[in-house]
Amino acid sequence: MGFEKIIFYLFSALLIMSASMVITVRNPVKAALFLVLSFFACAVVWLLMEAEFLAIVLVLVYVGAVMVLFLFVVMMLDINIERLRAGFISYLPVGIVVALMMAGMLIWIVSGDGSAFNNSVTHNADYSNTRELGRVLYTDFLYSFEIAAVILLVAIIAAISLTLRRRPNTKHQKIENQIAVKRNERVRMVKMKAEEKK
Amino acid sequence: MNIEMPNFLLALPEIFVLGMTCVLLVIDLFLKQQDRYLTYLLALFTLLVAAVLTLYGDSGERQITFNGSYVADSMSHVLKLGVYFAVFVVFVYAKDYLRDRNMFKGEFYILGLFGMLGMMIMISAHSLLTLYLGLELLSLSLYAMVALQRDSIHASEAAMKYFVLGAIASGMLLYGMSMIYGVTGTLQLDSIAERAVSGDRTLLAFGLVFLLVGMAFKLGAVPFHMWVPDVYHGAPTAVTLYIGSAPKIAAFAMLVRLLVDGMIDLHDQWQGILIILAVLSMAVGNIVAIAQTNLKRMLAYSTISHVGFLILGILTGTQSGFSASMFYALAYVLMALGGFGMIILLSRKGFEGDKLDDFKGLNRRSSWYAFMMLILMFSMAGVPPFLGFWAKLAVLQEVVAADMLWLAIVGVVFSVIGVFYYLRIVKLMYFDEPNSEEALQCSTDMRLLISANALMVLGIGLFPGALMAVCTAAFS
């Protein structure tokens, strides 16, 4: 257990540190990168809980795809940090109250009766939770799985219908016309007398 | 490995609606703008067939399938029929409005049908997971529909507010669900009800609070109502019509599924929270509505107050209370369809008839539609013999029967306050000089349907027994 505990505390500390950096650093690009780090630390903690499939999906989907897209957006937008930070002090008291309430509640729940949280199941090395997930996903949770698919379809439709614009007067290249162009459509020979030297 | 095959026949309406919407999506892609009404007709056709499937699929008994995540009972059948009806009316009313504003696109109908699918899933949900997914499907479609009018700043702002607050509400709901799952170890509502009896009360109560906060956001109950007026006002009227009508039925179903099917054992705990929500909603909704000059905003606050009444019926915790609440939900949807429909009727190309002043002297311009509006406003105010009166009466009776006389009195006091702003519209229509003498212009189908809509409010108000019997039968 010793090694596992070291890993747990190491990556939990990393998770908390990087998560707090996400909201405190000034540079949004750095914040996004810290979010990547916190996802990664979180994935390691999940691995310790034997949720291998979820851990790998977290790295592949969130770190690999979502956060990279996010970084692109952050880099392309011109975000004015000073304006974003303007309300920080005025919202701080409310934020602290909410955070304290949440923390207090979590502590109360966890410390109240810990027995509910100690019954985690351990499996042998040959147990594949990918297969187990797949098995329930396509049988017990078939209905929910289908609905989730429909939600994704709606997301696609919504995104396209909100962003697709056909503007008739935008300027763009017409390659077939460019290739078919003849010399005399572009170059005009002008005959003129050479200037005489005086 | 044994797999129990789910009974797909029970979910036939959902399967049909999903299939048809996908077909519609493809067909719409190949249509020219002048043939777009085909999408519209097919959408109406889908609703009619779904209604037939639901009617014939009603076996009269409670059946659960898809490994406990889908339930078909008489309540779900009635509510689904109500949803089809509401969406049908919305589609017809919206047609001219959308065409005049260059919004007559397939997306409105496709997103509308997907949203309706979400409502159907919520109505038939029997596990926390399907309930949540149905809600997300509905919300996502609604966010997109609000933002459909891309060039309008108001619509974009409304969509943004709706999206952010909706996301927070979903987060709350999920947080609560995860706590309840933590205590009971199951997602299915009937098993939750069984295990809640012996579960940790503190944790369950925490989960319950989060669930109720999330649901109050979605319902638009005070103090989680901030988005309602802005979204109703900012969205295109056709979309406001959609948001203001059918989703209320689904929200009622969500409350019943979670609180009654899942946590009836915690009734004494959720009753207190619901009392606060109901009293605040009735107070804020009715009082703030008086100050509004825009009819859409006024109807938004009136929605908030009606939600308060809807909650009153549920918090009694009795079967007859739930059926009174269901009657209220269906009655409210019918009135809201008419109310927002009148705004569309008064609007024309380049003009929104959504200000109170636009209703000035409507009697002189068209006495028939002024009379229709009069019926709708009287009904919303709760004047007998219109439908709204019976709905309020049924709910208040149940509250009194549950030994909460003071609550019934509070409800009556606030609805009397509410009468003021409904009757102000009647006064504007009949006793004020019109701003313009222009005749109303709209198509025949809209005229027929809105007249039928208002006359239904009157007709069911005169003979409320049949609808009442249906609602009572749903909870027995």
Side-chain angles (χ1 to χ4, degrees):
Chain A
M1 278 308 279
F3 179 66
E4 273 184 28
K5 269 200 172 148
I6 294 172
I7 298 282
F8 173 76
Y9 283 113
L10 188 68
F11 281 92
S12 301
L14 190 65
L15 176 58
I16 293 168
M17 189 272 294
S18 55
S20 42
M21 289 302 268
V22 173
I23 53 171
T24 48
V25 290
R26 288 185 164 272
N27 189 333
V29 177
K30 280 185 189 160
L33 288 172
F34 272 114
L35 196 56
V36 171
L37 184 63
S38 65
F39 280 144
F40 188 76
C42 192
V44 174
V45 175
W46 285 4
L47 268 183
L48 286 178
M49 294 171 66
E50 299 192 1
E52 293 89 1
F53 180 75
L54 288 181
I56 291 168
V57 166
L58 184 71
V59 172
L60 284 183
V61 176
Y62 272 87
V63 177
V66 176
M67 285 319 295
V68 172
L69 269 179
F70 205 80
L71 263 182
F72 272 127
V73 175
V74 168
M75 284 178 176
M76 275 196 259
L77 292 179
D78 183 22
I79 299 173
N80 188 344
I81 315 280
E82 291 310 310
R83 237 184 62 205
L84 281 181
R85 300 198 147 247
F88 186 73
I89 295 295
S90 55
Y91 293 129
L92 194 63
V94 184
I96 288 176
V97 169
V98 172
L100 282 181
M101 269 169 61
M102 292 287 236
M105 237 178 68
L106 281 176
I107 291 168
W108 186 21
I109 289 169
V110 175
S111 62
D113 181 16
S115 62
F117 301 94
N118 286 335
N119 50 5
S120 57
V121 187
T122 48
H123 292 283
N124 293 329
D126 59 345
Y127 179 85
S128 159
N129 67 38
T130 312
R131 185 194 292 137
E132 289 304 306
L133 270 176
R135 195 182 62 77
V136 292
L137 205 54
Y138 294 103
T139 53
D140 295 356
F141 293 101
L142 174 73
Y143 187 56
S144 320
F145 187 66
E146 291 294 329
I147 303 169
V150 178
I151 292 179
L152 288 180
L153 177 63
V154 171
I156 296 171
I157 297 169
I160 293 177
S161 68
L162 293 184
T163 50
L164 181 69
R165 273 170 200 271
R166 286 205 185 80
R167 276 175 294 190
N169 47 6
T170 43
K171 294 188 168 65
H172 53 91
Q173 289 187 309
K174 290 181 182 146
I175 298 179
E176 68 277 14
N177 295 356
Q178 286 177 328
I179 294 171
V181 80
K182 300 234 166 46
R183 188 195 60 128
N184 50 8
E185 288 171 26
R186 290 286 160 89
V187 186
R188 188 161 53 96
M189 293 293 281
V190 183
K191 287 241 157 77
M192 58 192 293
K193 277 183 187 164
E195 267 184 45
E196 284 173 28
K197 243 184 196 168
K198 282 179 186 168
Chain B
M1 191 170 74
N2 281 321
I3 303 167
E4 193 195 340
M5 268 311 265
N7 186 358
F8 288 106
L9 270 183
L10 281 181
L12 200 57
E14 278 87 351
I15 296 172
F16 176 77
V17 170
L18 174 60
M20 269 309 281
T21 314
C22 292
V23 169
L24 216 59
L25 189 64
V26 177
I27 291 179
D28 185 66
L29 194 63
F30 295 100
L31 285 180
K32 293 194 184 71
Q33 186 58 38
Q34 67 264 28
D35 301 331
R36 195 70 72 196
Y37 64 90
L38 194 64
T39 313
Y40 160 74
L41 289 177
L42 277 173
L44 294 187
F45 170 75
T46 309
L47 293 174
L48 289 177
V49 177
V52 171
L53 289 177
T54 307
L55 268 180
Y56 282 90
D58 189 359
S59 61
E61 55 191 286
R62 188 179 165 89
Q63 286 172 298
I64 294 172
T65 184
F66 286 108
N67 199 41
S69 46
Y70 183 96
V71 61
D73 53 9
S74 39
M75 180 187 98
S76 73
H77 290 115
V78 176
L79 291 183
K80 273 181 202 169
L81 288 174
V83 166
Y84 303 145
F85 174 77
V87 175
F88 186 93
V89 174
V90 169
F91 282 178
V92 175
Y93 285 175
K95 180 176 58 104
D96 292 343
Y97 182 90
L98 295 174
R99 199 192 47 215
D100 289 345
R101 281 158 190 76
N102 285 331
M103 286 167 65
F104 193 58
K105 288 182 281 192
E107 282 87 1
F108 178 83
Y109 295 101
I110 288 158
L111 287 172
L113 285 176
F114 272 128
M116 191 187 78
L117 182 65
M119 294 182 230
M120 293 163 72
I121 291 167
M122 283 164 76
I123 289 170
S124 276
H126 195 254
S127 89
L128 295 179
L129 194 58
T130 32
L131 197 65
Y132 172 72
L133 287 171
L135 179 67
E136 279 306 287
L137 182 54
L138 169 63
S139 310
L140 196 59
S141 311
L142 290 182
Y143 304 145
M145 283 169 86
V146 173
L148 217 51
Q149 202 175 24
R150 274 182 315 207
D151 301 324
S152 153
I153 301 168
H154 290 297
S156 310
E157 188 194 325
M160 209 57 215
K161 277 183 184 158
Y162 196 17
F163 182 71
V164 172
L165 286 177
I168 294 174
S170 296
M172 291 283 182
L173 203 63
L174 272 184
Y175 202 33
M177 284 178 176
S178 70
M179 283 187 186
I180 286 165
Y181 178 69
V183 178
T184 59
T186 175
L187 288 169
Q188 285 174 39
L189 292 171
D190 53 355
S191 331
I192 290 176
E194 278 166 27
R195 294 184 202 177
V197 180
S198 56
D200 181 345
R201 279 291 151 133
T202 328
L203 257 179
L204 273 177
F206 266 123
L208 184 67
V209 169
F210 275 102
L211 276 188
L212 281 172
V213 169
M215 281 192 289
F217 255 117
K218 299 285 180 191
L219 271 169
V222 181
F224 308 103
H225 66 291
M226 297 77 78
W227 60 272
V228 180
D230 288 342
V231 171
Y232 276 40
H233 185 195
T237 310
V239 178
T240 311
L241 180 68
Y242 187 92
I243 299 177
S245 56
K248 297 293 168 226
I249 298 180
F252 166 77
M254 177 167 72
L255 271 177
V256 170
R257 292 286 178 223
L258 274 176
L259 297 182
V260 180
D261 286 6
M263 293 192 283
I264 191 71
D265 197 51
L266 275 80
H267 171 239
D268 47 343
Q269 302 197 346
W270 50 258
Q271 187 179 40
I273 306 172
L274 286 189
I275 288 176
I276 298 173
L277 287 176
V279 171
L280 284 178
S281 300
M282 289 188 294
V284 173
N286 279 320
I287 292 171
V288 182
I290 294 172
Q292 305 306 317
T293 55
N294 184 296
L295 187 59
K296 270 156 91 179
R297 267 192 115 74
M298 195 200 90
L299 285 179
Y301 281 104
S302 121
T303 304
I304 295 172
S305 71
H306 286 294
V307 163
F309 259 94
L310 190 104
I311 295 174
L312 273 190
I314 293 177
L315 65 82
T316 59
T318 58
Q319 299 294 330
S320 45
F322 304 143
S323 45
S325 201
M326 181 170 164
F327 183 79
Y328 201 98
L330 294 173
Y332 171 70
V333 166
L334 196 58
M335 297 185 289
L337 284 171
F340 289 110
M342 286 302 291
I343 301 178
I344 292 186
L345 187 81
L346 254 67
S347 306
R348 53 182 181 273
K349 197 162 188 159
F351 174 77
E352 292 281 331
D354 62 352
K355 285 175 215 49
L356 288 185
D357 288 348
D358 297 327
F359 279 80
K360 269 187 184 169
L362 185 64
N363 186 38
R364 292 251 300 271
R365 291 166 67 191
S366 161
S367 53
W368 174 252
Y369 293 106
F371 178 59
M372 295 294 119
M373 189 66 180
L374 173 111
I375 292 178
L376 291 166
M377 288 298 119
F378 273 7
S379 175
M380 281 202 187
V383 177
F386 300 103
L387 180 56
F389 167 72
W390 298 108
K392 280 198 166 68
L393 183 69
V395 168
L396 289 174
Q397 266 176 344
E398 292 310 322
V399 174
V400 173
D403 284 335
M404 286 183 286
L405 188 62
W406 68 272
L407 196 57
I409 293 172
V410 170
V412 171
V413 168
F414 284 121
S415 32
V416 169
I417 295 175
V419 170
F420 169 76
Y421 60 87
Y422 294 121
L423 292 191
R424 186 171 56 183
I425 294 185
V426 175
K427 177 231 163 206
L428 287 174
M429 289 191 306
Y430 282 91
F431 302 111
D432 282 16
E433 291 300 310
N435 286 344
S436 73
E437 293 285 345
E438 215 170 327
L440 298 177
Q441 20 171 285
C442 62
S443 55
T444 325
D445 47 355
M446 167 103 197
R447 280 167 190 269
L448 284 177
L449 195 62
I450 201 156
S451 305
N453 186 337
L455 290 177
M456 262 173 88
V457 170
L458 178 62
I460 302 178
L462 291 174
F463 307 101
L467 184 61
M468 205 65 195
V470 168
C471 293
T472 314
F475 285 99
S476 56

